[in-house]
């Protein structure tokens, strides 16, 4: 899980296609979305078939302890380009018609949360979720990494480790693995499992038996 925000009030906004008001606005949108290629989603993970092969190769063992764990040991959000940090880059990447100010803060746009199917027009209603939570990574092998390695993991824009989602859904996930929690939107379970396995495989993290069983069941049905 990642950056938690709590809001006393919120307004749900139904998904809709944003209108382009003029060629100038379209051009401006292109300029302000500079940085990683805008694709409105995290990097696509390997296929379900490949994920099944990767899953079979991972070490299965009981989860380690959280002794010594601290989010500070996974420095984030770091500067990625110009004045933009990792959170801001993901907001631009995963959103639609996102515009930012000189500090790279999102001033407008919309964000569709794959986890629950909701769309938001305020970036404050969106969290950037670590697909494999930081505490989960710690218990799966990251406790032996250097701080630099943990920083790279916590800010990884190359793999399917970061995704913009509804904040309270991210908070309900907390540090749980797929054997304990899955997105409420079942249509996303296959992609979620592919993403989770890809991250664990990339970083050579272990998984427990219940986690593997849940992932196997999902991937076998993809």
């Amino acid at each position: 899980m990642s950056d938690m925000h709590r809001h006393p009030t919120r307004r749900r906004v139904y998904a809709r296609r944003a209108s382009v008001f003029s060629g100038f606005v379209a051009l401006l949108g292109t300029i302000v979305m500079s940085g990683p290629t805008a694709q409105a989603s995290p990097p696509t993970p390997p296929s379900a078939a490949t994920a099944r092969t990767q899953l079979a190769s991972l070490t299965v063992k009981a989860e380690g302890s959280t002794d010594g764990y601290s989010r500070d040991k996974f420095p984030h959000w770091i500067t990625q380009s110009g004045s933009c940090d990792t959170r801001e880059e993901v907001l631009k990447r995963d959103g639609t018609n996102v515009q930012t100010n000189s500090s790279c803060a999102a001033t407008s746009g919309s964000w569709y949360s794959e986890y629950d199917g909701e769309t938001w027009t305020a970036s404050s209603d969106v969290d950037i979720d670590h697909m494999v939570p930081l505490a989960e990574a710690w218990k799966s092998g990251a406790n032996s990494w250097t701080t630099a390695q943990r920083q790279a993991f916590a800010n990884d824009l190359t793999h399917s480790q970061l995704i913009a989602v509804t904040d309270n859904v991210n908070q309900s996930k907390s540090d749980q693995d797929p054997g304990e929690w899955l997105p409420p939107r079942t249509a996303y379970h296959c992609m979620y499992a592919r993403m989770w396995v890809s991250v664990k495989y990339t970083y050579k993290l272990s998984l427990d038996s219940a986690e593997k069983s849940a992932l196997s069941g999902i991937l076998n049905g993809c």
Side-chain angles (χ1 to χ4, degrees):
M1 185 186 67
S2 139
D3 69 337
M4 294 185 178
H5 300 280
R6 296 190 182 277
H7 312 283
T9 62
R10 64 170 71 243
R11 178 170 60 90
R12 295 194 177 277
V13 181
Y14 293 99
R16 60 184 181 276
R17 186 178 300 277
S19 298
V20 177
F21 297 103
S22 68
F24 172 74
V25 173
L27 176 61
L28 178 61
T30 300
I31 293 172
V32 299
M33 290 182 71
S34 60
T37 302
Q39 57 191 46
S41 64
T44 303
S47 67
T50 298
R52 286 192 289 269
T53 299
Q54 292 177 340
L55 180 62
S57 73
L58 293 176
T59 298
V60 179
K61 64 179 184 180
E63 279 190 347
S65 169
T66 55
D67 289 351
Y69 167 72
S70 167
R71 290 175 65 81
D72 292 339
K73 293 184 178 180
F74 292 79
H76 65 289
W77 304 113
I78 63 170
T79 300
Q80 291 287 346
S81 62
S83 60
C84 303
D85 65 22
T86 307
R87 170 182 163 80
E88 291 161 343
E89 291 288 10
V90 177
L91 285 173
K92 290 193 294 181
R93 183 197 70 189
D94 290 4
T96 300
N97 293 337
V98 178
Q99 297 188 30
T100 60
N101 61 22
S102 59
S103 299
C104 203
T107 57
S108 64
S110 64
W111 292 268
Y112 175 75
S113 171
E114 294 283 6
Y115 286 6
D116 59 340
E118 294 290 345
T119 297
W120 304 98
T121 56
S123 62
S124 57
D125 285 326
V126 178
D127 273 3
I128 308 305
D129 181 39
H130 286 103
M131 174 58 54
V132 174
L134 304 182
E136 166 68 21
W138 179 270
K139 295 181 291 184
S140 304
N143 60 319
S144 66
W145 295 352
T146 64
T147 299
Q149 288 174 316
R150 289 192 286 265
Q151 174 176 292
F153 175 82
N155 298 274
D156 187 355
L157 295 172
T158 303
H159 303 95
S160 52
Q161 166 66 344
L162 300 172
I163 182 172
V165 298
T166 302
D167 57 358
N168 60 353
V169 175
N170 178 47
Q171 292 158 20
S172 73
K173 172 182 175 179
S174 187
D175 299 324
Q176 300 176 93
D177 67 40
E180 304 162 316
W181 185 94
L182 288 167
R185 180 170 164 255
T186 57
Y188 200 65
H189 286 185
C190 184
M191 179 63 75
Y192 188 85
R194 288 164 56 195
M195 293 167 72
W196 183 282
V197 171
S198 175
V199 173
K200 284 230 161 174
Y201 179 81
T202 297
Y203 287 93
K204 308 305 178 188
L205 295 170
S206 64
L207 69 171
D208 61 47
S209 57
E211 178 186 353
K212 181 175 183 178
S213 176
L215 289 164
S216 295
I218 297 168
L219 292 172
N220 288 338
C222 291

